[in-house]
Amino acid sequence: MSKKHAPLRGFKYYTALESQLLHWVRQKFNQLAEAYNIKIVNPPLLAKTSIFQSLGEASDVVKKELYSFTQRDGEEVCLIPEYTRIFVEQMCYENTFHGTFACFGPCFRYERPQLGRYRSFNQISIESIGSNHYMKDIELFCFLRDFLSAIGITDYKIQINSIGTLDDRKKYEQTLKEYFSKHLHKLSDNSKAKFEKKAFLRMLDSKDEEDLIYINKAPKITDFLCDESMQTFHRIKMKLNELNIQFEENPLLVRGLDYYNDLVFEYNHMNLGSQNALLGGGRYDSLFKSVGGPDVAAVGVGIGVERLIHVLEKNEKLIDRLNQKIHLGIIPIEETEYLYALEIFELLKNKVCIDVLYDKTVSQRLKICNKNMYEYVMLIGETERLNQNVVIKDMRNSTSITVSLTELSNYFNNEKNR
Ligand code: AMP
């Protein structure tokens, strides 16, 4: 690998397998989204910086992670760091306030890169808007269950919490402030900085070991919930139990952005480590209104596609199944055989993966086929063209067989089923 051509820090070139998995996950997602009547929307990837700044002073994303710049007309714009906010913008623009929608595409965050954390990554964002009924939250859990099962991910753990209403949170934040102020000198610099910025809830996110001692003993949001939030949370838990969807309650779970209320959740997977959730979401009933839209309730989730891929890469059975394709190299020896090679390509293109090689000497082309581990190679000469047949060489055992053009399609059908 040449350093000179390496991608930017935090960006990556996808391997063939990662690209294949990305495509496969998208296909599976699209199929299920259609069955669930989830409409796919494609918001722009560049937006006004101000719309993300309005997400709240304390939001980490806004603080330091935006890829923002001034465009030629002087407007401050940024690459989107997530879909919910730009999705809300689109729905307000289109006056659409009912239904379930999804976005699938790249997001950009200027984060410190590490395993499973990139500066450019893909998210599936699902947003159910127009109802604050708790059964809409449950529908989302059902979708996630079916989606993860469709792509063969089973070993995940669901954590849920309720962060109540804005009022509940204000009371809780005041208590947290008093609590953390007593221990501030013992906390990490990061936590001290969050305290300075009044991001008391975000202090609960710290993974610093010393911080964790105090975080674990901190007052819990669940003791501050109003009756309605408490009841809603209770109903959600009951329904999840009845549906046999297993979860853990984590009273310290808060979400990155400030616009959430009541239900928040995260799914973790042991292959990703505790800091990297597979997906996360929650209810955001006040966001539409707070950005100048109507009073529209919503619940949504953001799924990290690279994290799904990271888990899927370890699924040997799946990888084997995806790679069960036969590769064929076709080598026309002279220009007079080019069109005959294309005719063969047309015949077989839906059955095997074909690479027609025109350049270089025959032995160099054979070497390329070998290097790429093509299972079959056809050398096409004048004799084959005149006899309307081909000689198929099985590269795995160096045997050859002559097959007529009329039998060719059948031959590969049988090979595929072997
Ligand atoms: P968030 O919008 O921060 O709630 O993120 C939703 C999901 O996106 C997370 O649970 C991750 O799976 C994924 N995600 C967030 N940030 C990154 C990142 N920097 N790199 C890869 N995946 C990410």
Side-chain angles (χ1 to χ4, degrees), residues 255-301:
R255 300 274 302 138
L257 296 168
D258 296 345
Y259 52 63
Y260 288 98
N261 65 279
D262 289 296
L263 178 75
V264 290
F265 59 89
E266 256 181 29
Y267 285 31
N268 297 88
H269 194 281
M270 61 179 184
N271 291 0
L272 294 171
S274 62
Q275 300 214 20
N276 287 341
L278 200 56
L279 59 92
R283 185 158 272 289
Y284 53 97
D285 293 338
S286 56
L287 181 61
F288 275 88
K289 197 150 183 229
S290 75
V291 301
D295 198 358
V296 174
V299 58
V301 59

Side-chain angles (χ1 to χ4, degrees), residues 109 111 116-118 121 123 255 277-280 302 304 307:
R109 297 183 189 176
E111 296 199 75
R117 193 167 287 276
Y118 310 103
F121 59 98
Q123 246 190 20
R255 300 274 302 138
L278 200 56
L279 59 92
R307 297 198 185 161

Side-chain angles (χ1 to χ4, degrees), residues 206-331:
S206 170
K207 301 288 182 256
D208 180 283
E209 281 191 14
E210 184 77 8
D211 288 352
L212 279 173
I213 298 173
Y214 297 96
I215 290 171
N216 287 330
K217 290 186 199 149
K220 308 284 183 286
I221 179 85
T222 18
D223 294 328
F224 291 77
L225 300 184
C226 62
D227 282 352
E228 206 181 326
S229 285
M230 198 123 81
Q231 270 180 28
T232 306
F233 194 38
H234 179 68
R235 287 194 179 107
I236 290 174
K237 288 186 283 184
M238 294 275 284
K239 284 287 172 284
L240 287 177
N241 280 329
E242 284 165 34
L243 284 165
N244 224 353
I245 296 177
Q246 311 213 329
F247 62 89
E248 279 167 19
E249 268 185 82
N250 177 357
L252 295 172
L253 180 71
V254 288
R255 300 274 302 138
L257 296 168
D258 296 345
Y259 52 63
Y260 288 98
N261 65 279
D262 289 296
L263 178 75
V264 290
F265 59 89
E266 256 181 29
Y267 285 31
N268 297 88
H269 194 281
M270 61 179 184
N271 291 0
L272 294 171
S274 62
Q275 300 214 20
N276 287 341
L278 200 56
L279 59 92
R283 185 158 272 289
Y284 53 97
D285 293 338
S286 56
L287 181 61
F288 275 88
K289 197 150 183 229
S290 75
V291 301
D295 198 358
V296 174
V299 58
V301 59
I303 308 173
V305 179
E306 280 67 16
R307 297 198 185 161
L308 296 178
I309 290 176
H310 189 76
V311 173
L312 292 174
E313 273 179 319
K314 307 241 156 42
N315 182 341
E316 281 173 22
K317 269 196 201 144
L318 170 69
I319 305 303
D320 279 354
R321 191 149 50 82
L322 289 177
N323 286 335
Q324 256 177 10
K325 294 219 174 95
I326 296 177
H327 295 84
L328 165 68
I330 302 181
I331 303 180

Side-chain angles (χ1 to χ4, degrees), residues 381-393:
E382 191 183 17
T383 323
E384 285 79 19
R385 177 169 52 86
L386 294 177
N387 292 334
Q388 290 287 289
N389 64 16
V390 291
V391 179
I392 306 170
K393 182 168 182 185

Side-chain angles (χ1 to χ4, degrees), residues 328 330 340-341 343-348 351-352 354 378 380 388-392 401-415:
L328 165 68
I330 302 181
Y340 187 50
E343 199 180 326
I344 297 166
F345 174 85
E346 283 298 325
L347 265 176
L348 297 178
K351 305 198 184 301
V352 286
I354 304 174
M378 287 177 191
I380 313 272
Q388 290 287 289
N389 64 16
V390 291
V391 179
I392 306 170
I401 181 170
T402 303
V403 179
S404 73
L405 215 54
T406 47
E407 277 306 305
L408 197 54
S409 197
N410 252 344
Y411 177 81
F412 279 101
N413 275 347
N414 294 337
E415 284 304 286

